[in-house]
C-alpha cells in the first residue's frame, strides 16, 4: 500500500543558521510546501526553539555561534524526547572529516551549500514522511498497549 496520503504540509521545520540570508533562502525553497517555518540564529537558540516548539525536522548549519551544529545534533540525539527529530545538516563544509563528524553526531542527512532546491525539497519531504510514520506507529503501539492492559484487567 502506498502511503502518499500522509499529510506533512502542517509540519514544523526549524531552520538554524547564523546567516540571515541563508535562513531566508532555505525558507524560500520550502515556502510553497505549507510548512510552519521556525528560525534560529545560533546553537543555543536552536535548542530553545526545539524545547518550545517541538519541530518535526531541523535544518541545521554547523558553523554557528554559542553552540556548533555538531553539538546541537549530539545533544538532540542524546535526549530520548528529542532523538527522533530528523536533523538535516546544511553546511558549506564538505570535507570527508566534516561529513563523518556530522554522521557521528547523529545527523540524518548531510547537504553541502549551495543547496540544490529540488534536492532539499525532496529530502525534507522524505524525512518528514518518515517522522510522521514513526509518530503514527508510536501512537498505535501505545493504543495497543493500553488495550492489552484493559483486557488483562478484565475490561475496566
Amino acid at each position: 500500500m502506498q502511503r502518499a496520503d500522509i499529510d506533512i504540509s502542517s509540519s514544523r521545520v526549524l531552520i538554524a543558521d547564523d546567516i540571515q540570508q541563508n535562513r531566508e533562502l532555505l525558507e524560500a525553497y520550502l515556502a510553497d510546501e505549507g510548512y510552519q517555518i521556525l528560525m534560529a540564529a545560533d546553537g543555543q537558540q536552536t535548542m530553545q526553539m526545539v524545547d518550545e516548539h517541538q519541530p518535526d525536522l531541523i535544518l541545521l548549519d554547523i558553523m554557528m555561534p554559542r553552540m556548533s551544529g555538531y553539538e546541537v545534533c549530539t545533544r538532540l540525539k542524546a535526549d530520548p524526547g528529542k532523538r527522533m527529530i530528523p536533523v538535516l545538516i546544511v553546511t558549506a563544509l564538505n570535507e570527508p572529516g566534516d561529513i563523518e563528524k556530522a554522521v557521528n553526531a547523529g545527523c540524518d542527512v548531510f547537504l553541502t551549500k549551495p543547496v540544490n532546491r529540488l534536492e532539499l525539497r525532496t529530502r525534507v519531504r522524505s524525512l518528514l514522511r518518515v517522522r510522521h510514520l514513526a509518530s503514527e506507529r508510536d501512537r498505535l503501539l501505545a493504543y495497543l498497549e493500553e488495550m492489552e492492559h484493559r483486557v488483562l484487567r478484565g475490561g475496566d
Side-chain angles (χ1 to χ4, degrees):
M1 179 172 122
Q2 175 114 1
R3 290 303 309 237
D5 60 330
I6 298 169
D7 182 17
I8 59 171
S9 63
S10 62
S11 299
R12 288 178 306 279
V13 177
L14 174 57
I15 299 173
D17 196 305
D18 59 320
I19 299 173
Q20 182 177 346
Q21 293 86 349
N22 291 344
R23 291 191 308 269
E24 290 172 355
L25 178 64
L26 294 174
E27 180 182 30
Y29 281 178
L30 299 174
D32 58 351
E33 297 291 325
Y35 308 134
Q36 177 186 353
I37 303 293
L38 308 164
M39 304 267 200
D42 62 49
Q44 287 183 355
Q45 186 180 28
T46 301
M47 294 302 293
Q48 180 182 347
M49 295 291 284
V50 169
D51 287 339
E52 291 174 11
H53 300 284
Q54 295 296 307
D56 297 299
L57 172 69
I58 301 169
L59 304 183
L60 183 63
D61 185 30
I62 290 175
M63 304 301 293
M64 293 190 297
R66 296 178 28 169
M67 188 185 307
S68 74
Y70 295 129
E71 189 175 348
V72 169
C73 192
T74 299
R75 287 184 182 197
L76 290 171
K77 297 304 181 175
D79 184 327
K82 298 174 184 144
R83 72 170 41 122
M84 295 308 294
I85 301 171
V87 176
L88 193 160
I89 296 282
V90 182
T91 182
L93 301 177
N94 64 357
E95 295 297 318
D98 301 322
I99 297 169
E100 183 177 350
K101 192 171 179 182
V103 169
N104 289 338
C107 89
D108 297 282
V109 175
F110 188 99
L111 293 179
T112 303
K113 295 174 187 173
V115 174
N116 174 287
R117 180 178 185 255
L118 179 59
E119 183 177 14
L120 176 74
R121 290 167 59 118
T122 302
R123 300 231 184 209
V124 164
R125 199 174 302 122
S126 294
L127 288 169
L128 286 171
R129 282 188 178 129
V130 169
R131 168 76 166 153
H132 286 284
L133 282 171
S135 294
E136 185 177 308
R137 178 205 61 212
D138 292 345
R139 280 192 302 274
L140 286 171
L141 288 173
Y143 174 77
L144 289 172
E145 187 176 316
E146 179 184 328
M147 291 297 110
E148 185 176 278
H149 285 280
R150 284 185 182 179
V151 168
L152 293 174
R153 287 192 316 252
D156 11 335

